[in-house]
């Protein structure tokens, strides 16, 4: 919720969401300062692991009003995307807002606005702002490394995936990669042919989505259309037709997802036998598994590496380190001299006082927000980028635009009670079916189109973005691209 | 076969009509929404439900059979 006239804003984070927010707020006359603890912009795209890159096609992952160049490859490599963010910054004239290499260490309430303590490596200062926008993403704070016993006994090296800047770090080593998400499988795949031996250890298998379904159709056509969005567990405010599809019509979505599972398991040969007779078949139905934090579009070749034994896959947990490797929960011991955690990042906002986190009702799911941006109990604090989507850049650009419209009084918010009731509905809806996780409050994924619809309606923009004579069919079966939102942001 | 197609088409037409009415009622009069686009969308939705009604009915029946079979098998495993 926004109180009083906003003239100045501090944005924490100079990644995709921070830059989009700076652009939109500047356009409505707000003086913005963007702080980032790193000495370069880009957030997660500034400095990733070896060969990191975008896992979805480029027309899904670009700013709607600033397309990637024609020459950019379909799956944008990380360094190219970082350059693109630099260009975005220059194109919209927001570079002068940036204060890189400066960390926000504390914020506290002052009147309707905020007092912030910010500092670089040598000095610190206090500044005031009417509005604080946290645009630090979901997973930017600390690497998540499971607490495994007897770490001190292990004579080898333990790394987080983010520390693998060059795959030659693993040259001629016996490596165990822990995890089954994007970074884990990327590192394991890259290590093949470089490392002496590669193990991939994971407890839970997830449905990997191939870049092309049946080797022909880009996955977005099979996963990211309104037709498919009508077949996933219904949104918090479903239309009557979707409600009917999931009650009396339930055999239809059930059949659809079983066919999807059959296609995915056949195409990717998920029944491949791995250690101890296990397979790569997930246990959770695909329509629910798609909402876990591990939504993976693996690079081509991963399953082939596993089938051929170039990656030795173990579907089990790690029970302890030993002097020369790790002991697995299934009784096996792996002799390795390097363990890489591809287990993601922890979520955290160390600069937010406990009193604010308590007001946000921070819990095991994280905290729930009105339109994933504002909370009625903490006025003039906004979050942009706290939503997981397959089109994150578009989602964050829409959030930033929505926030700017709210600040400019062109989008009117409901009263605090109505906002809280909306938040409560969102929370109980997610908790009723979505897999648990520390970021469940922020998970949208295939539901992103419904969330975009809400933001667009708030801004009096038409949620039906397709144009032309056949637009109604396109709305149903053609996936949205970032470009479809160009005239909104 | 002919009867099945007629029944499916009739059901599709009815659902399509309801779907179209919902689209019209939820969008017409809303600020910022293109009214012609709304009517066009509604008509297409009605037409698509009508054309594909029989196919949807067939898939629904197949789903009913397979879902029942799957639940029966699962119950057997749990016992």
């Amino acid at each position: 919720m926004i109180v009083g006239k906003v003239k100045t804003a501090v944005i924490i984070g100079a990644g995709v969401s921070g830059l989009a927010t700076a652009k939109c707020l500047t356009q409505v006359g707000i003086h913005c300062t963007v702080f980032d603890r790193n000495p370069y912009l880009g957030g997660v795209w500034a400095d990733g692991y070896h060969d990191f890159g975008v896992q979805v096609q480029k027309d899904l992952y670009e700013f709607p009003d600033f397309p990637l160049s024609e020459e950019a490859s379909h799956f944008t490599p990380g360094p190219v995307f970082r350059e693109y963010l630099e260009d975005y910054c220059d194109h919209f004239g927001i570079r002068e807002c940036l204060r890189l290499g400066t960390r926000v260490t504390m914020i506290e309430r002052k009147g309707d606005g905020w007092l912030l303590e910010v500092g670089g490596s040598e000095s610190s200062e206090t500044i005031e702002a009417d509005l604080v926008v946290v645009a630090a993403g979901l997973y930017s704070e600390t690497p998540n490394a499971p607490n495994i016993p007897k770490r001190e006994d292990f004579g080898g090296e333990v790394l987080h995936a983010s520390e693998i800047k060059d795959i030659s770090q693993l040259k001629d080593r016996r490596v165990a990669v822990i995890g089954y998400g994007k970074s884990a499988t990327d590192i394991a795949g890259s290590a093949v042919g470089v490392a002496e031996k590669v193990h991939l250890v994971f407890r839970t298998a997830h449905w990997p989505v191939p870049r092309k379904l049946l080797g022909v159709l880009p996955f977005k056509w099979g996963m990211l259309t309104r037709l498919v969005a009508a077949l996933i567990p219904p949104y918090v405010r479903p239309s009557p037709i979707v409600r009917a599809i999931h009650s009396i019509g339930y055999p239809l979505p059930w059949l659809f997802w079983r066919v999807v599972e059959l296609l995915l398991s056949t195409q990717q040969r998920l029944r491949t036998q791995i250690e101890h007779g296990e397979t790569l078949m997930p246990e959770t139905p695909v329509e629910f598994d798609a909402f876990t934090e591990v939504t993976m579009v693996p690079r081509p070749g991963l399953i082939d590496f596993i089938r051929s034994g170039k990656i030795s896959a173990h579907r089990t947990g790690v029970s302890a380190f030993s002097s020369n490797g790790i002991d697995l929960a299934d009784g096996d011991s792996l002799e390795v001299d390097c363990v890489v955690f591809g287990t993601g990042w922890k979520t955290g906002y160390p600069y937010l006082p406990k009193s604010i986190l308590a007001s946000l009702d921070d819990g095991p799911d994280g905290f729930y927000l009105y339109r994933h941006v504002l909370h009625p109990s903490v006025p003039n604090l906004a979050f942009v980028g706290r939503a997981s989507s397959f089109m994150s850049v578009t989602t964050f650009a829409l959030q930033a635009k929505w926030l700017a419209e709210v600040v400019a009084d062109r989008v009117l918010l409901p009263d605090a009670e109505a906002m809280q009731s909306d938040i409560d509905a969102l929370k109980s809806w997610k908790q009723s079916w979505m897999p648990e996780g520390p970021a469940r409050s922020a998970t949208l994924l295939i539901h992103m189109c419904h969330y975009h619809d809400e933001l667009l309606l708030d801004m009096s923009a038409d949620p039906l973005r397709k144009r032309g004579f056949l637009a109604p069919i396109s709305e149903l079966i053609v996936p949205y691209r970032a470009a479809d939102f160009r005239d909104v942001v | 076969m002919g009867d099945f197609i007629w029944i499916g088409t009739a059901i599709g037409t009815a659902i399509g009509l309801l779907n179209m009415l919902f689209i019209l009622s939820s969008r017409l009069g809303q600020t910022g929404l293109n009214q012609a686009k709304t009517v066009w969308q509604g008509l297409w939705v009605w037409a698509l439900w009508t054309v594909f009604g029989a196919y949807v009915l067939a898939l629904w029946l197949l789903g009913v059979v397979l879902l029942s079979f799957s639940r029966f098998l699962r119950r057997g495993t749990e016992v």
Side-chain angles (χ1 to χ4, degrees):
Chain A
M1 150 170 299
I2 303 296
V3 174
K5 182 74 186 157
V6 174
K7 291 179 183 161
T8 56
V10 159
I11 299 163
I12 303 173
V16 168
S17 48
L19 298 178
T21 307
K23 185 210 97 176
C24 292
L25 288 179
T26 304
Q27 284 176 343
V28 295
I30 310 292
H31 180 269
C32 295
T33 312
V34 185
F35 292 101
D36 198 298
R37 61 184 169 162
N38 293 316
Y40 29 73
L41 62 79
V44 294
W45 296 109
D47 184 28
Y49 55 85
H50 167 83
D51 203 21
F52 73 115
V54 179
Q55 60 177 339
V56 296
Q57 284 94 342
K58 72 172 183 180
D59 59 346
L60 298 177
Y61 207 88
E62 60 182 359
F63 287 104
D65 52 349
F66 190 70
L68 277 155
S69 77
E70 293 284 327
E71 293 80 43
S73 64
H74 264 311
F75 293 86
T76 319
V80 173
F81 199 80
R82 193 200 149 186
E83 281 306 310
Y84 166 73
L85 293 178
E86 296 273 0
D87 294 343
Y88 177 86
C89 209
D90 292 329
H91 180 79
F92 290 105
I94 45 179
R95 195 170 286 280
E96 59 265 32
C97 302
L98 302 180
R99 284 190 55 186
L100 303 175
T102 311
R103 182 186 283 267
V104 174
T105 50
M106 187 270 298
I107 77 171
E108 65 179 50
R109 176 69 72 190
K110 186 181 181 194
D112 287 338
W114 300 96
L115 199 63
L116 296 97
E117 194 176 281
V118 298
S121 53
E122 289 169 2
S123 62
S124 69
E125 61 178 306
T126 304
I127 58 165
E128 288 184 34
D130 300 324
L131 171 71
V132 169
V133 184
V134 178
L138 271 170
Y139 302 110
S140 58
E141 191 48 36
T142 359
N144 178 38
N147 196 10
I148 296 169
K150 299 186 183 174
R151 163 75 184 84
E152 63 285 356
D153 291 357
F154 182 51
E157 191 176 16
V158 179
L159 296 166
H160 185 261
S162 60
E163 295 174 279
I164 310 282
K165 303 297 182 193
D166 188 332
I167 205 65
S168 63
Q169 287 171 255
L170 305 179
K171 189 169 168 50
D172 298 332
R173 302 173 84 177
R174 294 164 302 166
V175 181
V177 182
I178 316 295
Y180 199 59
K182 179 169 164 51
S183 62
T185 54
D186 279 357
I187 297 285
S190 298
V192 171
V194 176
E196 182 187 321
K197 177 74 187 167
V198 183
H199 298 277
L200 184 64
V201 183
F202 55 94
R203 276 186 303 204
T204 312
H206 296 278
W207 291 97
V209 180
R211 287 183 172 183
K212 288 190 174 175
L213 300 170
L214 299 174
V216 180
L217 193 68
F219 85 94
K220 61 181 180 177
W221 288 82
M223 301 291 284
L224 305 181
T225 64
R226 278 193 190 272
L227 181 63
V228 173
L231 299 174
I232 51 178
Y235 194 53
V236 58
R237 287 168 283 274
S239 68
I241 192 73
V242 169
R243 215 175 293 143
I245 287 173
H246 288 273
S247 49
I248 188 168
Y250 180 68
L252 272 176
W254 180 87
L255 180 65
F256 174 81
W257 290 114
R258 301 298 74 78
V259 171
V260 169
E261 286 179 353
L262 186 66
L263 292 177
L264 291 180
S265 62
T266 307
Q267 181 183 346
Q268 307 199 88
R269 291 169 287 184
L270 299 183
R271 296 196 185 276
T272 295
Q273 295 268 313
I274 57 172
E275 302 293 328
H276 287 280
E278 291 277 4
T279 69
L280 300 172
M281 279 295 286
E283 283 164 7
T284 311
V286 66
E287 66 270 36
F288 295 98
D289 191 61
F291 289 90
T292 55
E293 287 174 53
V294 186
T295 306
M296 183 180 48
V297 184
R299 293 191 185 178
L302 175 77
I303 307 290
D304 288 338
F305 284 148
I306 293 175
R307 278 175 66 84
S308 63
K310 289 177 179 167
I311 294 176
S312 175
H314 308 260
R315 190 170 173 174
T316 181
V318 182
S319 52
F321 281 101
S322 62
S323 59
N324 58 351
I326 50 176
D327 296 332
L328 303 181
D330 62 10
D332 281 357
S333 292
L334 304 182
E335 288 190 9
V336 295
D337 37 34
C338 183
V339 173
V340 179
F341 287 115
T343 41
W345 296 80
K346 286 181 180 166
T347 310
Y349 304 95
Y351 36 82
L352 291 182
K354 282 183 181 167
S355 59
I356 291 181
L357 288 170
S359 299
L360 293 170
D361 197 16
D362 193 24
D365 294 355
F367 45 84
Y368 290 83
L369 300 166
Y370 179 75
R371 297 285 191 260
H372 293 271
V373 177
L374 295 170
H375 197 286
S377 304
V378 190
N380 294 16
L381 177 67
F383 292 81
V384 173
R386 209 177 177 287
S388 59
S389 143
F390 282 104
M391 298 173 71
S392 304
V393 184
T394 299
T395 304
F396 302 163
L398 287 173
Q399 287 185 317
K401 181 67 178 177
W402 182 89
L403 177 65
E405 295 291 293
V406 168
V407 169
D409 279 336
R410 290 197 287 260
V411 165
L412 298 179
L413 296 174
D415 61 33
E417 201 178 320
M419 286 169 76
Q420 187 59 53
S421 133
D422 197 284
I423 290 170
D424 293 342
L426 183 73
K427 186 174 181 177
S428 54
W429 167 67
K430 286 198 176 187
Q431 291 182 342
S432 69
W433 68 276
M434 210 177 258
E436 286 178 27
R440 178 159 63 175
S441 57
T443 301
L444 290 167
L445 297 170
I446 309 179
H447 271 304
M448 66 191 180
C449 73
H450 300 127
Y451 174 62
H452 294 168
D453 289 352
E454 290 181 333
L455 295 178
L456 291 166
L457 279 171
D458 285 350
M459 294 189 279
S460 299
D462 200 330
L464 301 178
R465 310 303 308 161
K466 299 292 183 189
R467 294 166 191 229
F469 181 75
L470 293 176
I473 291 190
S474 303
E475 286 291 348
L476 202 60
I477 58 171
V478 179
Y480 279 119
R481 301 163 304 147
D484 291 320
F485 300 87
R486 189 161 294 160
D487 61 325
V488 181
V489 301
Chain B
M1 185 68 180
D3 287 345
F4 180 85
I5 289 173
W6 277 114
I7 292 168
T9 304
I11 292 173
T13 305
I15 295 173
L17 184 64
L18 292 173
N19 200 356
M20 179 180 74
L21 291 174
F22 170 74
I23 289 169
L24 297 182
S25 66
S26 61
R27 284 176 53 92
L28 283 179
Q30 278 230 40
T31 320
L33 306 190
N34 183 326
Q35 307 305 335
K37 192 173 189 176
T38 298
V39 174
W40 190 234
Q41 182 80 20
L43 288 172
W44 265 97
V45 164
W46 189 15
L48 288 172
W49 270 110
T50 305
V51 170
F52 291 104
Y55 297 94
V56 173
L57 179 63
L59 289 172
W60 183 80
L61 287 171
L62 181 63
V64 168
V65 171
L66 293 177
L67 178 59
S68 309
F69 189 59
S70 153
R71 284 183 175 162
F72 174 75
L73 282 183
R74 202 178 310 145
R75 198 178 308 153
T77 322
E78 281 164 9
V79 169

